[in-house]
Amino acid sequence: MGLCHSGVRGGKQAIGGTSQQNPNSNNNAAHNDAVDFFFKSNGQEALFTQVEGMVGKQRDGWKFTAHLVEIYLKTRNQIGIGKTCKDLLGVLLLPLIFSGVNLIEARSSFCLLSLSASNLLDRDITSKSDPMVVLFAKKRDGKLEEVGRTEVILNNLNPTWIQKITIAYQFEMVQPLVFQIYDVDTSYHNKPVKSLKLEDQDFLGEASCVLSEIVTRHNRTLTIQLQNRNGHGILRKLGALTVHAEETIASRTAVEITLRCYQLANKDLFSLSDPFLRISRMVEGGGYVPICKTEVVNNNLNPVWRPLCLSWQKVVSLTRFTLIQENPLVIECFDFNSSGNHVLIGKLQKSVADLETLHREKNGANFVIQTSHGHEKVLKGQLFVDLFLEKQQYSFLDYVSSGFDLNFMVAVDFTASNGNPRNPDSLHYIDPSGRLNSYQQAIMEVGQVIQFYDSDRRFPAWGFGGKTPAGTISHCFNLNGSASFEVEGVEGIMAAYASALHNISLSGPTLFGPVINTAAQIAGQSLSNNNSKYFVLLIITDGVITDMQETKDALVRASDLPLSILIVGVGGADFTQMEILDADNGQRLQSSTGRMATRDIVQFVPMREVNSE
């Protein structure tokens, strides 16, 4: 589950308005395999539906917490457990820092930066550059700190990026900004932009300014000529970057909409059009900036797109807040071309209120197109709104401050492939100098963040793939060797791990299923008791699992539970199978019975990539 990707499926992915709801989920699903699994394993009757036994706030709460946990534990998208945990720590500590204070008033105001460029340098031979912008804040010591990245736009020297970059605006400070533009190599087009190493991309130019230069302009728009990194004169023109700033609004309201079209004009000769929608909104000064686009539907003149979720922050700027429902939106329908020269099929202008009316009255709105004589021609093709749902979006702060706990669980690989713990080349070797091995490092970096949000700080800790003192090979044994699987704090996990290395013989094979099922039982029991808890299971392993299908079955069953799983791979093994469990390619896991996972609950991180940063 990535964030903003760099051209997945050749630039056909949706950007900027993707719904949190799984577009492929079945809203009428009758039962919950994960909850059934818990009750049946305890000899009880299964629940009739997946909403029984849960109050509305509890259900929405853990699912939202799941979304936040997945965002912040998706460490490949931010490259590095340490960096991710520091970021997570900063966000999670906000309710403690601002306890009892209006967070919106206490924090700085925020600006959304919309970016476009013109006449960029073409670095590609057989096509045009595929540009991406990276924004840096320049610190007092001259060092650059990355703030955010746009998406990659394919084959375009005059791009308008949809992905906005948010930056805190502090009027009392000088805030130097550096915008760097890169041509992203084709081999990286299937990777999340956060994971792209800038040194592997072609530099197209950079522009510098101070944030106040932008926000103090009459229309809050600044155009800057691109230069080389040295900032001195250039031998050839590198193009220009235009930045538009808008202050974000304090609103929790969002609209989820499903759009479809009927009888679109065909723009292709040998097949049907491949349509997608781009939605833009009016800004101060009368111009328009794109706020989202749908995915591309191939060969279809009557397309239905996945739901879009538009927050008021996307729909309108602060200065027009009182007219949100009437703020005009321009909806353009294009025929996708891999060359980047998308063909306009038609466009129309509607407000949010107009879209609601179309949905309520089940009417369509005709697209129009500009003729060569400057007149608007009404087209046969129409836009319909199949779903219009206004809802409230709650922040992570809301749920943490209302009493939700994050509960940390850990499972450690004790298979023989780790090497003899007494040998310095073993992955389990405990260095007398105090230097942490990869297992200890992962436990500390994840556990130290989450422990602050666990009220009792008692963590389940298991091992798997080891031979216990009783002589049996166990694939889920208590790490502390006692009858209770819980230990006190992260220090307790570290102590239990060190003790287990003396009492447990490394064995095998590597099985994930028993540990995941045990974690799912705990999460299921918490859910049935209406507890305000969300669970994060950290699995640290050195090798390829041998129960792939059993693991998939366990993950699919657990996908309806308040549980996310972070798998950290240590050592130099081939972790290809872990990428399958990760499901970042958009392919949801499927169980042996054919059931699809409700959501992606797994993130895999190779420790070698973390340590190389």
Side-chain angles (χ1 to χ4, degrees), residues 244-288:
H244 177 78
E246 291 180 285
E247 190 174 3
T248 60
I249 61 174
S251 173
R252 303 182 188 277
T253 305
V255 174
E256 185 168 337
I257 57 176
T258 298
L259 302 174
R260 68 177 172 91
C261 285
Y262 179 65
Q263 292 187 327
L264 292 177
N266 189 17
K267 298 295 184 178
D268 292 344
L269 293 177
F270 304 106
S271 62
L272 301 180
S273 294
D274 305 316
F276 70 92
L277 298 177
R278 184 177 70 184
I279 301 178
S280 304
R281 63 168 166 80
M282 181 180 290
V283 297
E284 293 178 74
Y288 284 85

Side-chain angles (χ1 to χ4, degrees), residues 136-322:
F136 297 91
K138 192 172 185 179
K139 299 302 181 181
R140 291 183 179 180
D141 59 4
K143 293 182 179 179
L144 299 181
E145 180 179 277
E146 183 173 330
V147 176
R149 303 183 181 190
T150 67
E151 78 276 16
V152 176
I153 295 185
L154 304 184
N155 300 310
N156 200 322
L157 303 182
N158 300 283
T160 298
W161 290 275
I162 293 176
Q163 184 68 38
K164 314 304 179 196
I165 299 179
T166 303
I167 186 169
Y169 170 57
Q170 297 167 295
F171 71 92
E172 75 279 8
M173 295 179 59
V174 176
Q175 296 175 268
L177 304 179
V178 177
F179 301 85
Q180 294 183 352
I181 303 182
Y182 292 87
D183 174 21
V184 176
D185 188 85
T186 306
S187 61
Y188 296 95
H189 284 180
N190 63 341
K191 295 182 179 293
V193 294
K194 290 279 188 181
S195 69
L196 299 181
K197 295 183 178 181
L198 300 183
E199 60 268 24
D200 295 335
Q201 318 306 323
D202 291 328
F203 179 75
L204 296 180
E206 74 175 26
S208 301
C209 70
V210 174
L211 182 56
S212 57
E213 288 185 74
I214 308 171
V215 300
T216 55
R217 292 291 179 104
H218 174 66
N219 58 359
R220 296 187 181 182
T221 301
L222 179 67
T223 298
I224 321 166
Q225 294 299 313
L226 295 173
Q227 298 182 337
N228 287 321
R229 278 196 176 94
N230 56 23
H232 299 308
I234 52 177
L235 299 178
R236 53 178 169 170
K237 293 183 178 180
L238 300 180
L241 177 73
T242 298
V243 187
H244 177 78
E246 291 180 285
E247 190 174 3
T248 60
I249 61 174
S251 173
R252 303 182 188 277
T253 305
V255 174
E256 185 168 337
I257 57 176
T258 298
L259 302 174
R260 68 177 172 91
C261 285
Y262 179 65
Q263 292 187 327
L264 292 177
N266 189 17
K267 298 295 184 178
D268 292 344
L269 293 177
F270 304 106
S271 62
L272 301 180
S273 294
D274 305 316
F276 70 92
L277 298 177
R278 184 177 70 184
I279 301 178
S280 304
R281 63 168 166 80
M282 181 180 290
V283 297
E284 293 178 74
Y288 284 85
V289 296
I291 59 175
C292 68
K293 77 178 183 73
T294 66
E295 76 280 7
V296 174
V297 178
N298 293 326
N299 295 306
N300 200 324
L301 302 182
N302 302 289
V304 180
W305 288 279
R306 294 176 181 175
L308 294 173
C309 189
L310 301 178
S311 65
W312 286 155
Q313 283 91 336
K314 291 189 176 78
V315 172
V316 70
S317 65
L318 183 64
T319 56
R320 300 181 60 88
F321 183 52
T322 56

Side-chain angles (χ1 to χ4, degrees), residues 30 294 366 380 423 436 549:
T294 66
N366 291 85
K380 189 176 182 180
N423 296 332
L436 301 182
Q549 190 55 58

Side-chain angles (χ1 to χ4, degrees), residues 32-42 44 47 52-54 58 62 407 409 460 462 485-486 516-535 557-558 560-563:
N32 181 325
D33 285 354
V35 178
D36 289 353
F37 168 76
F38 166 72
F39 280 96
K40 289 179 180 178
S41 66
N42 288 275
Q44 303 175 21
L47 297 177
E52 287 183 345
M54 296 183 291
Q58 176 68 29
W62 81 251
N407 288 252
M409 303 184 284
W462 304 288
F485 51 68
E486 289 187 327
I516 294 173
N517 286 335
T518 302
Q521 283 188 340
I522 295 173
Q525 185 173 14
S526 173
L527 185 62
S528 67
N529 293 334
N530 287 327
N531 292 329
S532 301
K533 295 180 181 292
Y534 190 87
F535 297 86
R557 286 193 297 265
D560 278 330
L561 291 173
L563 173 67

Side-chain angles (χ1 to χ4, degrees), residues 358-378:
L358 290 177
H359 173 258
R360 184 176 61 252
E361 298 179 355
K362 300 186 183 305
N363 290 331
N366 291 85
F367 285 101
V368 299
I369 198 165
Q370 199 90 1
T371 67
S372 57
H373 300 292
H375 302 297
E376 282 191 347
K377 177 183 177 182
V378 178

Side-chain angles (χ1 to χ4, degrees), residues 28 97 156 416 454:
N28 299 316
I97 297 171
N156 200 322
D454 189 318

